[in-house]
Amino acid sequence: VDDTLDAVAWARHHVAWADHEKLAIRGGSYGGYMVLLALTQHPALFRCGLSTAGVTDVYGLAHTCNASERVATILQMGDPESNREAYRRASPIHRVENIQAPLLVSHGRKDVTVTLDQSEQLIQQMKIHGKLVDFKYYDGEGHALSRPDTRVDWLQRETAFLKAHLI
């Protein structure tokens, strides 16, 4: 998250024409994870967030993702069973109550890299905590939203969401 905070600080210092009170954060996959970390760790910084296939529960990911992602996660985090508390601290799902900004979530129903249950759990927790969340699950899509009709729909949703929360 530190690199995200550095980017915000740089933009505030060097981009005079921008409205520094109207910041949004957007990302997919690891970038979606970064969106969720930023919104849970620095809740007042962003006006809204947009996450595509973002990791919400690193421990859960280590048990449901494909083999290459599992190896990468274990190399970064250690064994999930012996390092469970570190996995918990690294998981935005355990700090959803901190989120203040509206969130737009998208996820492909056939995603085997970051499985759909990651977003489903997030949506459920956002609702339990009374947070503003909108979401769309895309049939026939995997980890990347790649079909032209999906991309058009998602970009229209993003545009409408940003207009509603930034303008």
Side-chain angles (χ1 to χ4, degrees), residues 17-154:
W17 53 265
D19 184 340
H20 301 148
E21 301 305 314
K22 293 183 178 179
L23 298 176
I25 185 167
R26 176 191 183 277
S29 190
Y30 181 81
Y33 173 62
M34 186 58 53
V35 166
L36 301 172
L37 284 177
L39 293 178
T40 57
Q41 293 178 11
H42 302 278
L45 185 58
F46 297 98
R47 182 73 65 91
C48 62
L50 303 91
S51 174
T52 299
V55 174
T56 62
D57 178 4
V58 181
Y59 180 83
L61 178 74
H63 290 86
T64 60
C65 63
N66 61 43
S68 64
E69 290 298 319
R70 180 172 168 74
V71 168
T73 301
I74 291 171
L75 286 173
Q76 291 174 359
M77 299 283 303
D79 175 64
E81 302 312 319
S82 61
N83 211 10
R84 196 161 186 162
E85 184 54 34
Y87 276 74
R88 180 177 173 75
R89 284 192 313 270
S91 298
I93 195 70
H94 300 295
R95 293 184 301 282
V96 169
E97 68 277 2
N98 294 345
I99 296 176
Q100 296 176 10
L103 180 63
L104 180 62
V105 175
S106 68
H107 211 122
R109 287 191 183 274
K110 292 184 174 182
D111 192 341
V112 296
T113 304
V114 177
T115 53
L116 182 62
D117 65 307
Q118 294 277 321
S119 286
E120 290 173 330
Q121 291 173 33
L122 173 66
I123 302 305
Q124 179 184 27
Q125 287 300 308
M126 292 283 290
K127 289 179 177 180
I128 287 170
H129 290 286
K131 305 300 180 178
L132 183 57
V133 62
D134 192 7
F135 61 95
K136 173 72 177 186
Y137 302 141
Y138 288 97
D139 294 328
E141 290 285 7
H143 191 58
L145 303 179
S146 57
R147 291 190 348 234
D149 59 321
T150 299
R151 295 189 63 76
V152 167
D153 181 73
W154 180 242

